[in-house]
Structure formats: C-alpha cells, structure tokens
Amino acid sequence: MFGVTVLGNNSAVPAFGRHPTSQVITTSGGKFLVDRGEGTQIQMINYKIRRSRISHIFISHLHGDHYFGLIGLLNSFALLNRTQKLTIVGPEILKTIIDLQFKVADTVLPYELEFLPVNSGGYITTVDNIEIRSFATDHRIACYGFVFKEKKNLRKIDIQKTSFHNVPYSFYHHLQKGADYKDENGLIIPNEELTTSAGPSKKYAFCADGRYNETIIKHIEGADMIYHETTYLDNLADRAFMRFHSTTRQAGRIAENAGVKKLLIGHFSSKYDSLDEFLSETQEVFPQTQLALEGVTYLI
Amino acid sequence: MFGVTVLGNNSAVPAFGRHPTSQVITTSGGKFLVDRGEGTQIQMINYKIRRSRISHIFISHLHGDHYFGLIGLLNSFALLNRTQKLTIVGPEILKTIIDLQFKVADTVLPYELEFLPVNSGGYITTVDNIEIRSFATDHRIACYGFVFKEKKNLRKIDIQKTSFHNVPYSFYHHLQKGADYKDENGLIIPNEELTTSAGPSKKYAFCADGRYNETIIKHIEGADMIYHETTYLDNLADRAFMRFHSTTRQAGRIAENAGVKKLLIGHFSSKYDSLDEFLSETQEVFPQTQLALEGVTYLI
C-alpha cells in the first residue's frame, strides 16, 4: 500500500467545512504526515487514522495554515504516553517555536523528538523502502515540496511455490529482496522460481504552496502522482502571482510538462464554495486530475 | 444580554466529539473569548459566532489545550483584513510566542494587537460596562481565572413616558445613567419619572484549571454564575490532586462556599465517554449545576 489520504484541502482560513492543508501518506513501512493545519487532529479522529502509526511529520513552510496544528499533535502524543521516536522535518526555526512552547508549559516529552532541518532542497532521509527528498518552491517565504520515492519495489512471493518448497515464513523478507533459497537438503532454489517480479517503484510528490515554477519539474518528473496547489481559478492568475500561489491551468501545465501519471489538486481559496470549476479547468489541461477531497485516500 | 457560549468542554486531548476549552462571553459592549483550544475556530463557524465581534481574548495559562487555537485565529483576522484593535490578556511569555510565529511567517498584522500581561492577579481592564479582574489558581504552571463584573447596570427607559414628554432618542443614554431631563420649556422631569430601576449588576467567574482551592472564593463570591473545572469524577480525587485538577464534588463545594447562584462544569477528562455522572455527582453537592455543553449559551 502506497497512498495519500487528504485531511485538509483548503487554503488559509477554514471555510465551507474544508480544513487547512494536511495529508497522511501511508507506506509499507508506516505513516507520514505532510503539513498540519489547525484542527486536523480532529480530522484524524473522524477518519480513524491511528495517530500512533505516524513516524515522521513533514512541514513545508511556516504559514499558519500549514503548521498551526503541529504543536497540538505533539502535545497529544505526550498526553497519550507515546514512547516511540518521532521525526519532524521542516524549516529550522520551527524547532525553536516547538521548544519554546513546551518550555512554557513545563512539558517533558515521554518520546524522542528528532528534528531534521530543511533549509535547502535535497536528500532528507530514507524510511524503510521510501527515500524522501525536498525541493524549493517559489513562495513568499521559504517553502519546500517533498518527493516520496520507493527505492526499489519488493518482489512478490508466489505462495503456491513457497509452500511446495517448504520455505519458512521467516525467509520471506529475503525472498522479497531477491535472495535464492537453500532447502534442508542443500538444494538451491532460484529466487525467480519462488517470486514474481516487483512492480515498478512508485513516486509521489507533494508540491506545497507556490507560484507556477518550472524549476520544480526536474524533481517531480515521471511521478505516479503529484499534489499541486490550485488556490485560484484561471481568471485570477494575476492575484495568484501576486500572492505566490497557482491556478488550475498552471497546476495542469506543471503535471503535463513533468510527465506525471496523476494530478491531485487542493489548497482551494476560501472565496470558492463549489469546487467543480477547479476540476473542469484543470482537466482541460491535464485530464488525469482529481480533486483532493477530505477523508479520501488516493492510491499512488 | 450577558451570557457565555461554550465552544469546547474537554480537557487536553480531543475526544468523543468534544473540543478543548474555549468560551465566548457576550456582553452589551461586545464579545470576549476566554481560552482558545485548537480547532475552536471551526467551532465558531459551526455556531455562527461572528469572529469580527471579538474585542478581547483572555488566556488563562499556557497548557496547549487552552491556547493552541489562538495563533490561528489571530492569523485568520489578518487574512480577513480586520482593522479593529484586538486585546489579548494572558501570561507575558505568550507575547513572545505570538511575535515569533508572525515573524517567521513574514506576517504584518493589519490591525493593532494590544497585549496586557497577567503575571499576578488583580484588576485588568474595563470594557464598556464590564470590569475584568484576574485571580491565581493552584495549577501545575501559572494559571489565572477571570471575573467579569457589570460595574453598574443601566436604568431601563420607560418608552411610554419618554414619548409623552418628547424626550429625544439622543438623550436616552443620559437617562440610562440616571440623568434628569429638561424639556423645551425648561421644566425638569426627574429621571425616576422616565426610567425604572436597573436590575442588579451581574458577575461571571471563569475559574480556569486547578486543584480545589479555597483562596479563590473571595474573588468569585456572590457571582451569578461561575465556571469551574471538573476533570475527574469524585473517585479519582487523588489523581485530580496529583495532576492539579478538580473533581465534581470539589467544584460543587467551591460553588457552595462562594454562595454563587449557578455553577457550570467542564474540562472533562478524555477517559469519560458519558457526562451524566459529572452532573449527578456535582448536583449532590450543589443543585444549581449545569454541564457546559458545546454550542449552548448560558445566560448569566
């Protein structure tokens, strides 16, 4: 399973039942959060996403609608007696803000909080099979997109064959990585006999907030899915530029030029009640577009 | 109108659809917010409370469930182009936290933000007819309750009499304050002819978080309504003490000893699904008790 669940799809001010930006990325190795607008903790409860499964939180930039809900979640983890390590990835000054808020509350966290600063784009970390990199977007303040890429997909076990050859379950993870199996008689059974080939490795890019910006294309190209913001409809391209945001058609052009398979759009301005035109305008440029709807999980 | 609307009645971690602490106090002179847990901005939208009417925000202490929603509201005010001054009352270090968060977001507020530090109990400010004072509670970190007291109630205009004497509408606010009226012939009509007496001035006390603590009684005595926390039922009095919180019976005893008219209870621990026992246990000690239910307005 490699998918993204949308918790919030609205820009700045909450409106029409829509919440500020937050996504959950589910991988074979655990769950990541990307951005953390206020109130998304309650969204996680509503959508029955187990908070304890979150191992990493990525914050794209320090506009409030992308991180004001972070401190509340960290606090809840403390109150729920989390012990497992949590890693936060974000602009370096975020660590100062978090530390100050825990200091004034006299809170000592029961879990290890690791902080990985993102002050320029590039490699961040690898979690199990997923390599994570960041790239700068063109926003009013420093802002980063994130690319989540399966390093190599695991080969698929052929259960009938492994049963026939009595391969113990404990050896399966070696098989998935391509190892041959030596049975009790010393006979070597080639990996190709016991597994089928892995599918191609998948790639998801979260393009955060920002203006239309072709320099991001090299980072996201060929992705199976990207999320790109569409704060405004096409007729407000001037306003989008002035406010360092993008329109429907601009998001479509980025997806088209980057040769991605699917485009997810969100960060809708609070001035729009209906989202229909966001979808139709973007699909005119890039047909494989979907609205990022809250509570929906999109397979990558 | 002098009333309190509950936006959140839960302690620390959101649970069972209940939100962290926040209340709106409606007075003849405007609206005040008291505490500001995360997600209460969406609660205000749900309950159709106009954010623009808020003139003052009071923060009792810096545990996250009482202020993590503040910065998002201040930010929304900026995005909604508020121009009217906003006053925040709270522990002094809160100003540092707010300033830092706006600095990193490169946000310049379009409205004046006044900050009144509360670092010891006492007189804070007077807003129209309401005098506001604070008092210390016995909590793990510095924590303050707030008393909202009508200074003097305005006399009630007797419309039949003022019409008969042709008193112009522009003179009504003088009448409300007790002035006599001199008509066009120089005849003095005594105030008592034109108005009826004001009702007694009302008093509401928000007792914030804290242990059972009789030193607060002198500040809240005779109040028409107090809010007192009941994090735990009576059988967890030891845990309440250890965690600097109160139980049902303790809140009832405070209300009883302070000779108040009505008691509102809240800040229920997330371990409790049903609130029935909170009400029944507290009413055994103090019958005029009501649960602080989200979305409900209680007249003071």
Side-chain angles (χ1 to χ4, degrees):
Chain A
M1 162 83 174
F2 188 23
V4 55
T5 305
V6 176
L7 298 181
N9 63 10
N10 209 57
S11 71
V13 186
F16 307 116
R18 304 195 303 254
H19 296 73
T21 305
S22 190
Q23 300 186 352
V24 179
I25 296 177
T26 301
T27 72
S28 53
K31 288 184 191 293
F32 311 142
L33 270 175
V34 181
D35 281 354
R36 193 74 202 145
E38 187 190 343
T40 43
Q41 193 171 177
I42 286 167
Q43 290 285 87
M44 287 177 82
I45 296 174
N46 292 344
Y47 299 134
K48 303 195 194 311
I49 292 164
R50 282 172 57 198
R51 287 170 283 194
S52 59
R53 292 293 313 281
I54 305 293
S55 65
H56 290 66
I57 303 177
F58 298 84
I59 300 293
S60 65
H61 67 299
L62 298 183
H63 280 148
D65 55 321
H66 293 260
Y67 88 102
F68 283 165
L70 174 64
I71 187 79
L73 181 67
L74 302 185
N75 202 44
S76 289
F77 280 146
L79 294 164
L80 296 166
N81 288 315
R82 178 189 178 110
T83 51
Q84 144 217 17
K85 174 178 156 184
L86 180 74
T87 301
I88 297 180
V89 177
E92 193 161 12
I93 187 79
L94 177 57
K95 185 172 190 311
T96 307
I97 296 172
I98 294 168
D99 289 347
L100 175 61
Q101 292 192 289
F102 283 129
K103 181 166 162 274
V104 301
D106 195 21
T107 297
V108 178
L109 295 180
Y111 58 92
E112 183 193 346
L113 191 64
E114 177 187 48
F115 192 89
L116 302 179
V118 179
N119 292 326
S120 61
Y123 174 78
I124 299 172
T125 186
T126 299
V127 185
D128 291 304
N129 195 35
I130 309 279
E131 183 187 87
I132 301 137
R133 304 180 67 91
S134 67
F135 58 90
T137 70
D138 182 15
H139 200 40
R140 189 162 61 79
I141 59 172
C143 181
Y144 299 93
F146 299 104
V147 176
F148 301 85
K149 189 181 176 192
E150 289 176 329
K151 278 198 318 193
K152 196 177 175 184
N153 234 337
L154 299 174
R155 295 184 65 83
K156 294 194 175 67
I157 306 285
D158 184 332
I159 298 288
Q160 285 195 316
K161 302 278 184 62
T162 51
S163 301
F164 179 80
H165 290 287
N166 291 316
V167 180
Y169 182 73
S170 60
F171 196 77
Y172 279 18
H173 67 282
H174 296 299
L175 288 184
Q176 288 177 314
K177 289 175 186 161
D180 298 333
Y181 177 65
K182 189 195 270 185
D183 74 8
E184 58 264 40
N185 304 319
L187 184 69
I188 301 229
I189 302 151
N191 188 281
E192 295 71 28
E193 291 268 308
L194 300 165
T195 67
T196 56
S197 71
S201 64
K202 299 285 180 75
K203 175 173 168 178
Y204 173 66
F206 173 86
C207 300
D209 281 14
R211 283 176 177 163
Y212 177 80
N213 172 19
E214 295 183 353
T215 70
I216 72 172
I217 289 174
K218 63 179 176 289
H219 301 286
I220 65 175
E221 62 188 1
D224 295 273
M225 181 182 282
I226 65 167
Y227 160 85
H228 196 290
E229 67 130 298
T230 55
T231 306
Y232 299 106
L233 293 176
D234 184 56
N235 63 343
L236 291 184
D238 288 352
R239 185 179 303 185
F241 182 82
M242 207 175 66
R243 299 193 178 171
F244 292 85
H245 284 301
S246 294
T247 67
T248 49
R249 288 177 175 277
Q250 290 171 341
R253 280 207 294 280
I254 292 288
E256 173 77 20
N257 293 338
V260 308
K261 295 208 181 77
K262 287 183 281 188
L263 167 64
L264 207 56
I265 55 172
H267 201 265
F268 309 114
S269 164
S270 299
K271 70 197 269 17
Y272 301 103
D273 185 349
S274 162
L275 303 177
D276 296 348
E277 281 188 84
F278 281 94
L279 186 60
S280 58
E281 281 192 2
T282 313
Q283 284 184 334
E284 279 166 32
V285 180
F286 189 79
Q288 296 305 314
T289 301
Q290 288 178 286
L291 293 172
L293 297 177
E294 298 187 3
V296 175
T297 299
Y298 300 85
L299 291 179
I300 292 159
Chain B
M1 163 82 174
F2 188 22
V4 56
T5 306
V6 175
L7 298 180
N9 64 9
N10 209 58
S11 71
V13 187
F16 307 116
R18 304 195 304 254
H19 296 74
T21 304
S22 190
Q23 299 187 353
V24 179
I25 296 177
T26 301
T27 73
S28 54
K31 288 184 192 292
F32 312 142
L33 270 175
V34 182
D35 281 354
R36 192 75 202 145
E38 188 190 342
T40 42
Q41 193 170 176
I42 286 167
Q43 290 285 88
M44 287 177 82
I45 297 174
N46 292 344
Y47 300 134
K48 303 196 193 311
I49 292 164
R50 282 174 54 198
R51 286 170 284 194
S52 60
R53 292 293 314 281
I54 305 293
S55 66
H56 290 66
I57 303 177
F58 298 84
I59 301 293
S60 65
H61 66 300
L62 297 182
H63 280 148
D65 56 320
H66 293 259
Y67 89 101
F68 283 165
L70 174 64
I71 187 79
L73 182 66
L74 302 184
N75 201 45
S76 288
F77 280 147
L79 294 164
L80 296 166
N81 289 314
R82 178 190 179 110
T83 51
Q84 145 216 16
K85 175 177 156 183
L86 180 75
T87 302
I88 297 180
V89 177
E92 194 161 13
I93 186 79
L94 177 57
K95 185 172 189 313
T96 307
I97 296 171
I98 294 169
D99 289 348
L100 175 61
Q101 291 192 290
F102 283 130
K103 181 166 162 274
V104 302
D106 195 21
T107 297
V108 178
L109 295 180
Y111 58 92
E112 184 193 345
L113 191 65
E114 177 187 48
F115 192 89
L116 302 179
V118 180
N119 293 323
S120 61
Y123 174 78
I124 299 174
T125 186
T126 300
V127 184
D128 292 303
N129 195 35
I130 309 280
E131 183 187 87
I132 301 137
R133 303 180 66 89
S134 67
F135 58 90
T137 70
D138 182 15
H139 201 40
R140 188 162 61 81
I141 60 172
C143 181
Y144 300 93
F146 299 104
V147 177
F148 302 84
K149 189 181 175 191
E150 289 177 330
K151 277 198 319 196
K152 195 178 175 183
N153 234 336
L154 300 174
R155 294 184 65 81
K156 294 193 175 67
I157 308 284
D158 185 330
I159 297 288
Q160 285 195 317
K161 303 276 183 64
T162 52
S163 302
F164 178 81
H165 290 285
N166 291 316
V167 182
Y169 183 73
S170 61
F171 196 78
Y172 279 17
H173 67 282
H174 296 299
L175 288 184
Q176 287 177 316
K177 288 175 185 160
D180 298 333
Y181 177 65
K182 187 195 270 188
D183 74 9
E184 57 264 41
N185 304 318
L187 183 69
I188 301 226
I189 302 151
N191 188 280
E192 295 72 27
E193 292 267 310
L194 300 165
T195 65
T196 56
S197 73
S201 64
K202 299 283 179 75
K203 176 174 168 178
Y204 173 66
F206 172 87
C207 300
D209 281 14
R211 281 176 178 162
Y212 177 80
N213 170 21
E214 295 182 355
T215 71
I216 73 172
I217 289 174
K218 63 179 175 291
H219 302 285
I220 65 174
E221 62 188 1
D224 296 273
M225 181 182 283
I226 65 167
Y227 159 86
H228 196 290
E229 68 130 298
T230 54
T231 306
Y232 299 106
L233 293 175
D234 184 56
N235 63 342
L236 291 183
D238 288 351
R239 185 180 303 186
F241 182 82
M242 206 175 67
R243 299 192 177 172
F244 292 85
H245 284 301
S246 294
T247 67
T248 49
R249 289 178 174 277
Q250 290 171 341
R253 280 206 295 278
I254 291 289
E256 172 78 20
N257 293 338
V260 308
K261 295 207 181 77
K262 286 184 281 189
L263 167 63
L264 206 56
I265 55 172
H267 201 266
F268 309 113
S269 164
S270 299
K271 69 198 269 17
Y272 301 103
D273 186 349
S274 162
L275 303 177
D276 296 349
E277 281 188 84
F278 281 93
L279 186 61
S280 58
E281 281 192 3
T282 314
Q283 284 184 334
E284 280 167 32
V285 180
F286 189 79
Q288 296 306 312
T289 301
Q290 288 178 285
L291 293 172
L293 297 178
E294 298 186 4
V296 176
T297 299
Y298 300 85
L299 291 179
I300 292 158

